[in-house]
Amino acid sequence: MELEEHYSQLLGINSPWEIYDVELKVDESRLDIWIEYMDDKGASPECGAACPRHDTRKERTWRHLDTMQFATYLHCNVPRVRCEKHDVKSIRVPWAEKNSRFTLLFEAFAIRVLNAARSVEEARKLLGLNWHQVDAIKARAVKRGLARRQATKIDCLGIDEKQFRSGHDSVSNLYDLTGGRVLDIVEGRTENDCKQLIEQALTPEQRAQVTAVALDMWQAYANAVSQALPKADIVHDRFHISQHLNDAVDSVRRAENKALNKIGDNRLKGSRYCWLANEENIDKKRAEQFDVLKTSDLKVARAWAIKEMFRGFWDYRYAG
Ligand SMILES: [Zn+2]
């Protein structure tokens, strides 16, 4: 097997691309590979039409994965073709993205090093790159990833809000619940913020395929979902509903405790935990006192009974 053919196989380079020279500089720890395009026709980079070759651009260089300890570079004079619709354009090379000075295999490797390293600086040094190069490789990887994501079906979404800076600022998050991943984040939690979130994260085709969205009971989100995802069901999850029921019981308890205190009745003092906990988690000593409270004619006892009754809802299967 000739050396050139050996490298063609290693690089995955096929006709009409051909390796015509390989040079190893041992003292510089460097391997250079020259590639030539051997056809007088080529595909338009815009429309893919077969076009006649027009001319050849001056040599370009791409950094490739190292060969053993040798830094490896590809060189090629990329031909230009003349397309009837798109005029004179350089053809695409199979080993790299447009405008990149690195091969796709090198970029994929760089992303793995970035993931594995403790910091970008550490990865940058291992790869022998500057900050600008690392940044460009990351930006292209994100673009490729987003393009792949846009081609997938996403059927169940989740939207929620996170507050920060002591609740002065909030962001809205969009999740792919089946895939277990964050899709996108926007600042704010208004109807428009939420609409923007859905529209920037998903293509119109993807939006049409969403079947359900889990939401907190926040009207602005519900409005945004019914506009941006009219075919999707809105679902309120168990956690959020329990939270709302507990909040309601607690506000009844607080108001009643205040009123009772005024007439010297402190029955509800120290009972907060019992009203909010799952009954099976209440210890024996407290349970005896709580048995009396929960069967009394207090308002909070009624509110608590409604909350408890709702727990059966999750296992209820009768459509009527
Ligand atoms: Zn074209």
Side-chain angles (χ1 to χ4, degrees):
M1 191 195 288
E2 278 189 54
L3 189 62
E4 284 77 9
E5 199 185 323
H6 176 71
Y7 278 103
S8 290
Q9 288 191 359
L10 277 179
L11 286 170
I13 294 207
N14 301 311
S15 172
W17 303 93
E18 262 180 35
I19 291 179
Y20 71 92
D21 201 7
V22 176
E23 190 186 351
L24 180 64
K25 295 190 189 108
V26 175
D27 48 344
E28 293 176 35
S29 293
R30 181 181 168 120
L31 179 73
D32 288 277
I33 298 170
W34 280 268
I35 300 166
E36 197 174 8
Y37 188 77
M38 302 299 288
D39 203 339
D40 55 7
K41 287 196 288 296
S44 158
E46 304 289 336
C47 63
C51 308
R53 188 168 176 153
H54 179 73
D55 62 2
T56 302
R57 293 193 55 203
K58 66 178 183 2
E59 184 180 291
R60 285 183 63 197
T61 303
W62 294 264
R63 178 154 170 216
H64 187 53
L65 294 173
D66 293 359
T67 309
M68 310 300 270
Q69 73 272 40
F70 299 99
T72 301
Y73 295 87
L74 309 187
H75 305 265
C76 182
N77 298 76
V78 179
R80 298 199 301 173
V81 291
R82 178 181 289 282
C83 174
E84 281 179 15
K85 285 194 201 125
H86 300 102
D87 205 21
V88 176
K89 291 268 159 75
S90 297
I91 65 170
R92 291 230 175 92
V93 297
W95 56 83
E97 273 195 61
K98 199 178 156 188
N99 299 327
S100 173
R101 308 287 302 276
F102 304 97
T103 66
L104 282 163
L105 283 172
F106 181 87
E107 295 204 356
F109 175 69
I111 293 298
R112 292 180 68 174
V113 174
L114 278 160
N115 276 333
R118 280 169 302 180
S119 66
V120 175
E121 177 62 9
E122 188 184 75
R124 184 191 74 72
K125 281 186 190 151
L126 283 169
L127 292 162
L129 299 172
N130 65 39
W131 275 89
H132 176 75
Q133 291 169 322
V134 171
D135 205 49
I137 287 173
K138 268 163 55 179
R140 281 190 292 269
V142 168
K143 221 173 136 192
R144 285 195 297 273
L146 287 177
R148 269 200 307 275
R149 193 177 88 184
Q150 285 176 352
T152 62
K153 186 185 167 190
I154 295 171
D155 60 348
C156 293
L157 295 174
I159 300 173
D160 73 7
E161 175 211 357
K162 288 264 184 307
Q163 296 192 339
F164 55 98
R165 288 193 208 114
S166 325
H168 289 297
D169 291 301
S170 59
V171 291
S172 299
N173 308 304
L174 182 69
Y175 308 92
D176 165 10
L177 294 182
T178 321
R181 56 183 173 171
V182 176
L183 293 174
D184 215 336
I185 297 170
V186 295
E187 278 183 49
R189 53 173 204 152
T190 66
E191 188 174 320
N192 270 337
D193 297 331
C194 184
K195 252 178 86 181
Q196 188 204 332
L197 176 66
I198 295 166
E199 283 167 3
Q200 78 186 25
L202 303 171
T203 64
E205 293 75 31
Q206 284 178 314
R207 295 205 287 274
Q209 291 174 323
V210 174
T211 53
V213 189
L215 295 179
D216 187 7
M217 293 173 183
W218 173 239
Q219 194 56 43
Y221 286 168
N223 293 345
V225 167
S226 48
Q227 287 173 46
L229 303 163
K231 285 187 202 148
D233 288 330
I234 291 177
V235 179
H236 296 303
D237 65 74
R238 202 169 173 149
F239 169 77
H240 280 126
I241 290 176
S242 300
Q243 204 176 30
H244 280 281
L245 290 168
N246 273 332
D247 286 349
V249 171
D250 203 38
S251 71
V252 172
R253 182 198 58 82
R254 242 179 296 132
E256 193 167 38
N257 184 41
K258 225 174 167 182
L260 290 176
N261 278 340
K262 275 187 189 157
I263 54 168
D265 182 342
N266 60 3
R267 262 185 292 170
L268 287 177
K269 193 167 174 260
S271 68
R272 181 171 186 266
Y273 171 81
C274 296
W275 298 111
L276 303 182
N278 286 333
E279 221 184 338
E280 56 273 18
N281 296 336
I282 299 172
D283 61 60
K284 251 195 179 145
K285 199 180 128 234
R286 278 169 148 178
E288 278 172 28
Q289 298 167 347
F290 187 57
D291 276 343
V292 178
L293 284 176
K294 77 181 190 196
T295 52
S296 68
D297 59 357
L298 291 169
K299 285 182 187 149
V300 62
R302 183 169 177 267
W304 175 85
I306 295 169
K307 177 195 83 166
E308 287 301 297
M309 206 144 74
F310 196 78
R311 288 168 75 178
F313 173 83
W314 303 108
D315 305 312
Y316 201 68
R317 291 286 174 273
Y318 177 52

